[in-house]
Amino acid sequence: MACGDRYAGATLKNLNFRYIRYRDGSEELYDHRKDPGEHHNLADDPALAGLKKKFARYLPRVNVMPESLKQGETDSYGRRVEKLRAESVPAWLGQIP
């Protein structure tokens, strides 16, 4: 399994599925065997609730904005929060939880 974690949310992937949980609680789940382009979100499929629960155990319960961003410094990509907002990235991306 591979896991990515950013202040906007977290993602987890195994050989077949990718699960994403955002700071606002919304979720995405994709079956890469049938949908490698991630066009069909399966997060609301009751048959996959157990899989989502299994993935969710490995993700942080609270996503926190890095201290460097709170202080106006650059994030891990070398951008400032203000620049992200100027590039039309959603405002919630920079909100402190």
Side-chain angles (χ1 to χ4, degrees), residues 7-38:
Y7 60 90
T11 185
L12 189 69
K13 181 178 178 186
N14 66 13
L15 292 175
N16 300 318
F17 291 91
R18 179 174 179 214
Y19 173 69
I20 307 158
R21 185 177 62 219
Y22 296 98
R23 284 177 51 189
D24 65 1
S26 60
E27 300 172 302
E28 296 179 25
L29 179 66
Y30 299 100
D31 183 341
H32 283 183
R33 296 168 298 181
K34 298 176 184 175
D35 181 22
E38 297 185 352

Side-chain angles (χ1 to χ4, degrees), residues 59-80:
L59 297 181
R61 289 188 170 85
V62 177
N63 296 317
V64 178
M65 181 184 294
E67 286 298 319
S68 62
L69 290 178
K70 291 178 186 177
Q71 298 168 7
E73 298 174 18
T74 58
D75 64 7
S76 60
Y77 296 97
R79 300 181 204 141
R80 296 186 183 276

Side-chain angles (χ1 to χ4, degrees), residues 33-45:
R33 296 168 298 181
K34 298 176 184 175
D35 181 22
E38 297 185 352
H39 298 288
H40 305 286
N41 184 0
L42 303 172
D44 292 331
D45 185 337

